[in-house]
């Protein structure tokens, strides 16, 4: 498995290196580092590299541009695809990865710290390449492809819970123009990426930004879905007190029996040291809540969109001019310091490095196999949201187990009969 040139350490004192050369070298290292642990994608790549089943396809991606994404794209390229990518978030772009992808002839439409306008223009640039299959994280690309009625598209995939909600809304209004596979719904995606991946990378974002001791602090986690479960269990493991706020009675009960404190948000406002929203819903922490919080409180969001905390209200208030830490802003609300991390956008990808490669390997293996599935079956697919086929989910789990060196038992024929035919009755 080769990249265009081997990594070389920058050591010459004589040569002048441009910023982009340095980024490229860093990007190659980042790619190699991720590739080392993304064994499932590598196996899929090995299997199809010769036959190049994607060679007649233009793929358009809208993903967070990270080292893990570079592994997915390089694999799709090795299978013959022509590729364009824009970023799923204006602030999550890893510049070294951008240089690396460009060097490998992948069309990248993204620049670090791009404005909202540039972000949308870059999505349109991907659309203008007339993609056949699009892979999205948040359904922004799908949504624009639908508004513009792009004819070239034969199918797509979607990575997140928030994106799937948007696709379901298109589907219920009979507006879906092509088949979309909801990768988030695969067990080998949400059970691991959302829970263990995001559960860990949020801590990474918090520590890089704040460097605080987590033990003994009171964290309030809003939402006890897979991400909320992961974050609260990581925080508890580090010695934090954790309170969960929920609107779903079953999830709230689950949180209670998992041993967490469960309260209404308004009741816990004065006690939390740090609030983390993980709901996928809007207006979770709003204007009326800030002044009831502790002086010095920290606020962060893990959801895909920056709608969970009322950042517009915060940004309309006085801001302390000194920025004490990267990705940290501090507002003055009735004389209290309210800290906002990463502008209320996905903390794990902006303040941190995103989810670890091993877990993204599972998600992106589902993506790659779903893209291959669409390429092979699109003529028989309807304009609807599909689940990842069970064979793909099972295959990803098997490949992951073998990557981790784990062998599992098999049912005997007698056990299969017992299970399926209830032959003992
Ligand atoms: N979403 C969460 N973590 C990610 C990562 N490392 N790469 C791409 N998308 C992600």
């Amino acid at each position: 498995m080769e990249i265009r040139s081997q990594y070389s350490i920058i050591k010459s004192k004589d040569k002048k290196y441009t910023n982009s050369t340095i980024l490229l070298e860093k990007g190659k290292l980042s790619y190699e580092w991720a590739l080392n642990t993304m064994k499932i994608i590598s196996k899929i790549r090995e299997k199809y590299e010769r036959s190049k089943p994607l060679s007649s396809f233009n793929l358009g991606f809208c993903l967070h541009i990270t080292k893990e994404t570079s592994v997915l794209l390089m694999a799709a390229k090795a299978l013959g695809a022509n590729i364009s990518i824009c970023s799923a978030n204006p602030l999550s772009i890893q510049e070294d990865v951008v240089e690396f992808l460009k060097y490998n002839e992948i069309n990248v439409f993204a620049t670090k710290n791009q404005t909202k306008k540039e972000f949308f223009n870059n999505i349109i640039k991907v659309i203008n390449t007339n993609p056949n299959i699009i892979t999205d994280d948040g359904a922004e690309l799908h949504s624009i492809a639908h508004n513009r009625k792009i004819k070239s598209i034969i199918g797509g995939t979607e990575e997140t819970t928030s994106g799937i909600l948007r696709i379901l809304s298109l589907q219920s209004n009979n507006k879906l123009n092509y088949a979309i596979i909801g990768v988030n719904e695969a067990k080998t995606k949400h059970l691991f990426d959302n829970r263990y991946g995001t559960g860990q990378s949020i801590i990474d974002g918090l520590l890089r930004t704040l460097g605080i001791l987590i033990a003994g602090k009171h964290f309030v986690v809003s939402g006890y879905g897979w991400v909320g479960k992961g974050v609260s269990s990581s925080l508890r493991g580090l010695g934090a007190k954790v309170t969960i706020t929920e609107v779903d009675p079953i999830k709230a009960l689950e949180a209670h029996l998992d041993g967490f404190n469960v309260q209404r948000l308004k009741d816990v406002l004065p006690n939390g040291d740090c609030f983390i929203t993980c709901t996928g819903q809007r207006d979770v922490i709003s204007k009326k809540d800030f002044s009831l919080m502790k002086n010095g409180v920290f606020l962060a969001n893990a959801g895909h969109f920056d709608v969970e905390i009322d950042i517009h209200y915060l940004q309309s208030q006085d801001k302390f001019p000194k920025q004490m830490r990267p990705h940290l802003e501090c507002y003055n609300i009735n004389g209290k310091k309210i800290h906002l991390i990463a502008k209320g956008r996905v903390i794990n990808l902006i303040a941190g490095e995103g989810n670890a490669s091993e877990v993204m390997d599972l998600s992106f293996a589902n993506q790659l196999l779903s893209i291959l599935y669409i390429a092979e079956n699109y003529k028989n697919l309807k304009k609807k949201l599909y689940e990842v086929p069970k064979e793909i989910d099972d295959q990803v789990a098997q490949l992951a187990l073998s990557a981790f060196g784990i062998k599992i038992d098999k049912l005997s024929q007698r056990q299969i009969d017992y299970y399926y035919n209830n032959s003992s009755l």
Side-chain angles (χ1 to χ4, degrees):
M1 202 170 296
E2 262 196 354
I3 48 177
R4 255 183 58 186
S5 91
Q6 282 302 309
Y7 121 70
S8 60
I9 297 171
I10 304 164
K11 54 187 172 191
S12 165
K13 291 193 186 97
D14 322 321
K15 256 192 182 170
K16 273 198 186 132
Y17 285 97
T18 62
N19 195 25
S20 73
T21 325
I22 294 168
L23 283 173
L24 174 59
E25 290 300 317
K26 190 167 173 245
K28 286 178 193 168
L29 289 175
S30 299
Y31 169 76
E32 282 183 29
W33 185 251
L35 184 64
N36 271 336
T37 42
M38 295 181 75
K39 301 219 162 59
I40 315 175
I41 293 272
S42 302
K43 273 260 171 285
I44 301 168
R45 177 173 168 160
E46 267 165 43
K47 182 169 174 194
Y48 294 105
E49 207 158 9
R50 284 230 186 104
S51 58
K52 303 229 175 306
L54 297 177
S55 57
S56 55
F57 295 94
N58 246 351
L59 304 186
F61 290 85
C62 181
L63 294 176
H64 298 288
I65 303 183
T66 63
K67 59 187 184 312
E68 291 73 26
T69 299
S70 73
V71 173
L72 169 65
L73 300 193
M74 292 296 285
K77 185 168 185 274
L79 306 196
N82 189 30
I83 298 174
S84 304
I85 182 165
C86 58
S87 176
N89 185 293
L91 305 182
S92 64
I93 299 156
Q94 296 175 5
E95 281 174 296
D96 58 328
V97 177
V98 170
E99 288 304 321
F100 171 75
L101 293 174
K102 285 185 176 165
Y103 178 75
N104 283 285
E105 289 158 10
I106 288 173
N107 302 310
V108 186
F109 303 112
T111 45
K112 179 104 183 142
N113 294 331
Q114 57 192 9
T115 61
K116 264 197 173 170
K117 193 168 171 214
E118 287 163 341
F119 168 70
F120 282 109
N121 285 341
N122 283 328
I123 296 179
I124 288 163
K125 285 183 189 161
V126 170
I127 293 285
N128 289 344
T129 63
N130 290 320
N132 306 118
I133 302 173
I134 63 183
T135 291
D136 206 348
D137 184 333
E140 210 60 56
L141 190 58
H142 287 307
S143 158
I144 295 181
H146 276 81
N147 291 341
R148 299 192 166 213
K149 300 191 173 30
I150 305 300
K151 294 271 184 322
S152 56
I153 301 176
I154 57 166
T157 64
E158 172 53 48
E159 173 84 1
T160 59
T161 319
S162 306
I164 294 209
L165 287 177
R166 294 175 84 184
I167 290 158
L168 281 172
S169 140
L170 279 173
Q171 176 165 274
S172 61
N173 291 313
N174 280 330
K175 287 194 176 146
L176 210 53
N177 285 341
Y178 47 84
I180 299 182
I181 299 184
V183 166
N184 187 66
E185 304 314 294
K187 286 190 182 146
T188 49
K189 199 278 183 181
H190 65 260
L191 287 182
F192 308 111
D193 171 329
N194 303 26
R195 180 165 41 165
Y196 299 109
T198 314
Q200 176 176 294
S201 60
I202 285 174
I203 309 291
D204 174 39
L206 278 172
L207 290 179
R208 287 189 203 214
T209 311
L210 307 176
I212 54 167
L213 182 69
I214 288 179
K217 298 266 183 332
H218 187 169
F219 282 78
V220 180
V221 176
S222 291
Y224 203 63
W226 293 112
V227 170
K229 284 188 176 74
V231 179
S232 37
S233 124
S234 299
L235 288 167
R236 176 161 64 186
L238 290 165
K241 287 182 214 150
V242 183
T243 294
I244 306 294
T245 74
E246 245 306 338
V247 290
D248 178 325
I250 295 177
K251 288 183 183 160
L253 183 60
E254 199 182 358
H256 170 65
L257 294 185
D258 284 347
F260 293 105
N261 184 38
V262 180
Q263 280 185 283
R264 292 183 299 193
L265 180 74
K266 69 175 182 184
D267 298 330
V268 73
L269 284 172
N271 306 324
D273 297 305
C274 180
F275 290 74
I276 306 176
T277 52
C278 314
T279 69
Q281 192 36 285
R282 60 176 304 162
D283 307 332
V284 179
I285 300 181
S286 53
K287 180 177 165 181
K288 62 182 185 325
D289 301 322
F290 300 120
S291 57
L292 299 172
M293 291 175 167
K294 267 189 193 173
N295 182 30
V297 69
F298 299 111
L299 310 181
N301 166 48
H304 183 82
F305 294 107
D306 58 347
V307 294
E308 306 206 16
I309 301 170
D310 188 349
I311 52 170
H312 298 292
Y313 173 72
L314 277 182
Q315 287 165 352
S316 70
Q317 301 300 299
D318 285 346
K319 186 163 118 176
F320 288 93
K322 224 191 246 178
Q323 185 172 358
M324 305 295 287
R325 307 278 295 182
H327 305 295
L328 188 66
E329 283 158 328
C330 184
Y331 295 92
N332 181 347
I333 309 286
N334 298 336
K336 287 184 191 169
K337 284 185 172 167
I338 308 283
H339 296 98
L340 179 66
I341 305 175
K343 298 188 189 298
R345 290 178 179 272
V346 273
I347 173 177
N348 57 331
L349 281 143
I350 295 172
E353 227 181 319
N355 295 358
S357 307
E358 292 95 323
V359 92
M360 292 315 294
D361 195 23
L362 290 159
S363 307
F364 286 166
N366 275 293
Q367 286 287 7
L368 188 55
L369 291 171
S370 296
I371 291 169
L372 286 165
Y373 183 85
I374 293 169
E376 200 179 322
N377 298 292
Y378 70 95
K379 288 191 183 128
N380 303 320
L381 297 178
K382 299 196 172 73
K383 296 175 180 180
K384 63 174 233 188
L385 178 64
Y386 284 87
E387 287 189 0
V388 171
K390 184 167 176 344
E391 313 80 76
I392 293 185
D393 215 352
D394 289 345
Q395 188 187 348
V396 173
Q398 283 297 349
L399 287 169
L401 285 172
S402 75
F404 291 132
I406 297 169
K407 293 190 176 128
I408 59 169
D409 296 319
K410 281 202 173 100
L411 290 176
S412 67
Q413 193 52 51
R414 218 164 108 92
Q415 287 172 312
I416 294 172
D417 293 345
Y418 176 78
Y419 195 85
Y420 290 103
N421 306 327
N422 245 333
S423 58
S424 67
L425 293 180

